[in-house]
Amino acid sequence: MVNTAPNPSNTATHSAPPSDSRQRVGSFLKGLQDSICQGLEQLDGGKSFHEDSWEREEGGGGRSRVMKAGNLLEQGGVNFSEVWGKDLPPSILVQRPEAAGHGFYATGTSMVLHPHNPYIPTVHLNYRYFEAGPVWWFGGGIDLTPYYPFLEDVKHFHQTLKAACDSHHPDYYPTFKRWCDEYFYLKHRQETRGVGGVFFDYQDGLSQLYQGPDPTGVAAAHSESVGSLARSWEEIFAFVQDCGNAFLPAYLPIAERRRETPYSERERDFQLYRRGRYVEFNLVYDRGTIFGLQTKGRIESVLMSLPPMVRWEYSFAPNANTPEAELYETFLKPQDWLGIEHR
Amino acid sequence: MVNTAPNPSNTATHSAPPSDSRQRVGSFLKGLQDSICQGLEQLDGGKSFHEDSWEREEGGGGRSRVMKAGNLLEQGGVNFSEVWGKDLPPSILVQRPEAAGHGFYATGTSMVLHPHNPYIPTVHLNYRYFEAGPVWWFGGGIDLTPYYPFLEDVKHFHQTLKAACDSHHPDYYPTFKRWCDEYFYLKHRQETRGVGGVFFDYQDGLSQLYQGPDPTGVAAAHSESVGSLARSWEEIFAFVQDCGNAFLPAYLPIAERRRETPYSERERDFQLYRRGRYVEFNLVYDRGTIFGLQTKGRIESVLMSLPPMVRWEYSFAPNANTPEAELYETFLKPQDWLGIEHR
């Protein structure tokens, strides 16, 4: 497998990445896949991940790892890919017109976990890196989707991500937390996908931190901290590494704490119903999924995020004063989790 | 509920619809909803449809009818809507730029049935009518998605639709059958959604019959019959009525014939897995769904087509020489069903 995409040259506007940028990011993201799979196998205590290596006709390939029917995980997928080709798809060129007419290189690690127990949240991670002609950028994030949420879990998750962000820049967590709320928002349902986390895209050391739209006005209402920062490739890469490495400490304690919580058909039904929102988000809005479909990615890897079992129910609404209603009323709205008091 | 969208005026290029066009098409489509629901309640022999009437803030409304957990139908939805507003969404304006800057009127009836028994196919119907400034058009179709198909059922379904088409024009069935194969094609899976039926869009009496793309070359390979026809509004409306009325005779005999076929967990599992393709198609490609999301349609009605229970399975492939493999090998490819011999 030879990487034949052209290496970008320096320009007046973008600092060049180091000459071994692809090798370094690729190695880190592969290693992240390894460490996450190892941590999850320990957590599961039963099944292992099965790996499929694959190549992509237009250039590149990857290794997809899936655990089916584990002790704790009903399904877990952790995918690494490294692909290159002649043209980025239109959805990305709109955001980065400088990349038009250039070959591209893209690498990423992504993960979605669907636990059996409805008291353990679904969780998603994705970190990715692009080079195309004169431009390069990092993107990604981690976000949590509980069915029966506990405020202490949400706080732990956000606090762990915030610590990783704060060691790099005080604006990172507030900005990327808001961006996550914006990005993982189901407009057609007027719901967040879950309780968020951090998300960023197009981090190239030049642009404003926040590069997203602002349909719900969250970012605009906090524009004071949506600043512009000049940062080097090395600084951003170091930040991305710390974010990726924050996943296991952010998630494992939550899964351990809830793994023995008993549940009945009611909670299971609600979990399956809510998983439908995950499907709706990934197929209608998710950039990674759309990129995969547009670049003819390996389809089983692109859609590995979809849950093993899902339910839709016409006009379902939770009864008042139930845990299910509390999810909608409190947790599926952007909130300053670290500022909320425990009840 | 008052229809305030402007009525289109005649132009040099498009003949005007009759002055009562909206009333006539709206009545027909409402009556079609009624007759379909009545036929399906008789078929089911147990449950009735529950109706929700709704209004749309920007103008118009509809009536959604759903049957849950029937004898034969695990879920069935039949929706009528009539909406108007200032601007058509971008996805339609690309196809009909003459409509830009004009108010629009749109009405449609759509239906998706998910039977319990995996030997009874899922089926979809949609007929719709648009007016916007100088342009008007009809669109829609009917298509069948079996899990365990029988050639005689597929032939009956296509033969019934062909008879409705042939009474209007000999080019209709071959052209709209091919268009259906093109439209209900999952590019990312390289599979048809099912065994097709008929589908057409932008029928305005001026345009070429076939207005779709041709990614798999099916239409181009048969371009001799993709001709251009000058037709009046009345002729096209009469054709749409016959198509809509062909649904019950096309589907009921198939459902009756298969309703007592015994099945086990294996067939049920495969049905749930294949229903995932229905979700993928509707959320990634379907024009009606995308129109509903873009025009802020009533979300429960827009997504009523999604199955009550669905499964995804990483890297599933049917074993050789099984009925499941036969579905992929024979039935999920465009075929001239009426020309195939019974085996």
Side-chain angles (χ1 to χ4, degrees):
Chain A
M1 205 159 65
V2 180
N3 176 345
T4 56
N7 216 57
S9 55
N10 199 354
T11 71
T13 49
H14 285 79
S15 65
S19 59
D20 57 354
S21 58
R22 297 169 185 196
Q23 193 274 322
R24 284 174 62 197
V25 181
S27 285
F28 163 70
L29 290 172
K30 253 189 211 170
L32 182 63
Q33 184 194 34
D34 289 336
S35 62
I36 287 176
C37 288
Q38 205 184 347
L40 292 175
E41 284 176 357
Q42 263 184 337
L43 172 74
D44 194 76
K47 288 279 175 75
S48 312
F49 281 90
H50 167 84
E51 177 174 303
D52 288 319
S53 288
W54 48 274
E55 294 194 12
R56 179 172 162 276
E57 204 171 298
E58 292 83 354
R63 48 186 213 192
S64 296
R65 294 188 187 157
V66 178
M67 184 190 292
K68 289 184 190 178
N71 283 343
L72 185 142
L73 293 175
E74 188 171 337
Q75 182 178 292
V78 191
N79 193 40
F80 167 78
S81 68
E82 192 175 22
V83 303
W84 49 86
K86 271 168 67 178
D87 301 294
L88 283 166
S91 62
I92 294 186
L93 290 176
V94 168
Q95 295 293 321
R96 281 294 170 276
E98 312 93 304
H102 295 280
F104 75 92
Y105 167 88
T107 183
T109 286
S110 63
M111 178 208 74
V112 174
L113 308 183
H114 295 289
H116 289 290
N117 191 318
Y119 287 96
I120 308 179
T122 283
V123 66
H124 162 251
L125 166 147
N126 171 263
Y127 287 100
R128 54 193 182 239
Y129 174 67
F130 284 82
E131 292 185 1
V135 291
W136 55 266
W137 69 91
F138 289 92
I142 304 182
D143 69 289
L144 193 73
T145 306
Y147 304 94
Y148 289 91
F150 296 86
L151 187 57
E152 63 173 320
D153 294 351
V154 179
K155 281 179 177 282
H156 167 78
F157 188 78
H158 274 269
Q159 189 55 58
T160 310
L161 300 182
K162 180 173 187 294
C165 289
D166 286 355
S167 67
H168 292 272
H169 197 284
D171 283 355
Y172 278 177
Y173 174 75
T175 306
F176 298 152
K177 187 270 180 201
R178 262 173 241 136
W179 198 342
C180 191
D181 289 336
E182 290 290 342
Y183 181 75
F184 293 103
Y185 188 76
L186 285 88
K187 290 193 253 323
H188 64 280
R189 299 283 190 181
Q190 298 185 278
E191 289 169 10
T192 57
R193 181 164 85 171
V195 298
V198 293
F199 177 80
F200 53 84
D201 207 352
Y202 302 113
Q203 298 299 302
D204 57 10
L206 271 183
S207 310
Q208 286 212 319
L209 283 189
Y210 183 74
Q211 299 264 315
D214 192 15
T216 59
V218 175
H222 298 78
S223 56
E224 74 281 2
S225 76
V226 183
S228 157
L229 285 173
R231 293 161 295 154
S232 69
W233 187 94
E234 295 290 351
E235 285 172 313
I236 300 176
F237 181 41
F239 165 62
V240 167
Q241 290 173 75
D242 283 349
C243 276
N245 293 329
F247 166 69
L248 289 174
Y251 185 69
L252 295 188
I254 298 172
E256 289 290 9
R257 206 182 280 163
R258 307 300 165 199
R259 69 184 304 162
E260 303 300 342
T261 308
Y263 64 92
S264 67
E265 207 175 318
R266 167 181 169 163
E267 290 96 329
R268 175 69 175 167
D269 275 357
F270 185 62
Q271 177 196 47
L272 297 190
Y273 174 77
R274 292 294 316 170
R275 281 179 177 173
R277 300 294 207 272
Y278 222 82
V279 175
E280 291 175 22
F281 184 85
N282 283 10
L283 295 182
V284 175
Y285 302 112
D286 187 61
R287 271 176 221 184
T289 304
I290 293 166
F291 178 79
L293 297 178
Q294 289 182 335
T295 56
K296 297 183 186 160
R298 180 176 180 264
I299 196 64
E300 292 294 339
S301 303
V302 173
L303 298 182
M304 209 167 68
S305 61
L306 300 181
M309 191 69 90
V310 192
R311 227 166 54 77
W312 272 273
E313 183 177 334
Y314 174 77
S315 276
F316 169 82
N319 292 326
N321 303 314
T322 58
E324 293 81 7
E326 198 197 2
L327 175 75
Y328 286 76
E329 288 157 15
T330 304
F331 289 91
L332 299 182
K333 292 171 180 168
Q335 304 267 14
D336 171 17
W337 300 113
L338 300 178
I340 292 182
E341 289 292 311
H342 276 273
R343 283 186 293 187
Chain B
M1 206 161 66
V2 180
N3 175 345
T4 55
N7 215 59
S9 56
N10 198 352
T11 71
T13 50
H14 285 80
S15 64
S19 59
D20 58 354
S21 58
R22 296 169 186 196
Q23 194 274 323
R24 285 174 61 198
V25 180
S27 287
F28 163 70
L29 290 172
K30 253 188 210 171
L32 182 64
Q33 184 194 33
D34 289 335
S35 61
I36 287 175
C37 288
Q38 205 183 347
L40 292 175
E41 285 177 356
Q42 262 184 339
L43 171 75
D44 195 76
K47 288 280 176 75
S48 312
F49 281 90
H50 167 84
E51 178 174 303
D52 288 320
S53 287
W54 48 274
E55 294 194 12
R56 179 172 162 277
E57 204 172 298
E58 291 83 353
R63 49 186 212 191
S64 297
R65 293 187 187 157
V66 178
M67 184 191 291
K68 289 183 190 178
N71 283 344
L72 185 142
L73 292 176
E74 188 172 339
Q75 181 177 294
V78 191
N79 193 41
F80 167 78
S81 69
E82 192 174 24
V83 304
W84 48 87
K86 271 168 65 179
D87 300 293
L88 283 167
S91 62
I92 294 186
L93 290 175
V94 169
Q95 294 293 322
R96 281 295 171 277
E98 311 94 304
H102 295 280
F104 74 92
Y105 168 87
T107 183
T109 286
S110 63
M111 178 208 75
V112 174
L113 307 182
H114 295 288
H116 289 289
N117 191 318
Y119 288 95
I120 307 179
T122 283
V123 66
H124 162 252
L125 166 148
N126 171 263
Y127 287 99
R128 54 193 182 241
Y129 174 66
F130 284 82
E131 292 185 0
V135 290
W136 56 266
W137 69 91
F138 289 91
I142 304 182
D143 70 288
L144 193 73
T145 307
Y147 304 94
Y148 289 91
F150 296 86
L151 187 56
E152 63 174 320
D153 294 351
V154 180
K155 280 177 176 283
H156 166 79
F157 188 79
H158 274 270
Q159 188 55 57
T160 310
L161 301 182
K162 180 173 186 293
C165 290
D166 286 355
S167 67
H168 292 272
H169 196 286
D171 283 354
Y172 279 177
Y173 174 75
T175 305
F176 298 152
K177 187 270 181 201
R178 260 173 242 136
W179 197 342
C180 190
D181 289 336
E182 289 291 341
Y183 181 75
F184 293 103
Y185 189 76
L186 285 89
K187 290 193 254 320
H188 63 280
R189 298 283 190 180
Q190 299 185 276
E191 289 169 10
T192 57
R193 181 165 85 171
V195 298
V198 293
F199 177 81
F200 53 85
D201 207 352
Y202 302 114
Q203 297 299 302
D204 57 10
L206 272 182
S207 310
Q208 285 212 318
L209 283 190
Y210 183 73
Q211 298 264 314
D214 192 14
T216 58
V218 175
H222 299 79
S223 57
E224 74 281 1
S225 76
V226 182
S228 154
L229 286 173
R231 292 160 295 154
S232 69
W233 186 95
E234 295 291 351
E235 284 172 314
I236 299 176
F237 181 42
F239 164 62
V240 167
Q241 291 174 74
D242 284 349
C243 276
N245 293 329
F247 166 69
L248 288 174
Y251 185 70
L252 295 188
I254 297 172
E256 289 290 7
R257 205 183 282 162
R258 308 300 165 198
R259 68 185 304 162
E260 303 301 343
T261 307
Y263 63 93
S264 66
E265 209 175 316
R266 165 181 169 163
E267 290 96 329
R268 175 70 175 166
D269 275 356
F270 185 63
Q271 177 196 49
L272 297 190
Y273 174 78
R274 291 295 315 171
R275 281 179 177 173
R277 300 293 206 274
Y278 223 82
V279 176
E280 291 175 23
F281 184 85
N282 283 11
L283 295 182
V284 176
Y285 302 112
D286 187 61
R287 271 176 219 184
T289 304
I290 293 166
F291 177 78
L293 297 177
Q294 289 181 337
T295 56
K296 298 183 186 161
R298 179 176 181 265
I299 196 65
E300 291 295 339
S301 303
V302 173
L303 299 182
M304 208 167 69
S305 61
L306 300 180
M309 191 68 89
V310 192
R311 229 166 52 78
W312 272 272
E313 182 177 335
Y314 174 77
S315 276
F316 169 82
N319 292 324
N321 304 314
T322 58
E324 292 82 6
E326 198 196 3
L327 175 74
Y328 286 75
E329 287 157 15
T330 304
F331 289 91
L332 299 182
K333 292 172 178 165
Q335 303 268 13
D336 171 17
W337 300 114
L338 300 178
I340 292 182
E341 289 293 310
H342 277 273
R343 284 185 292 186

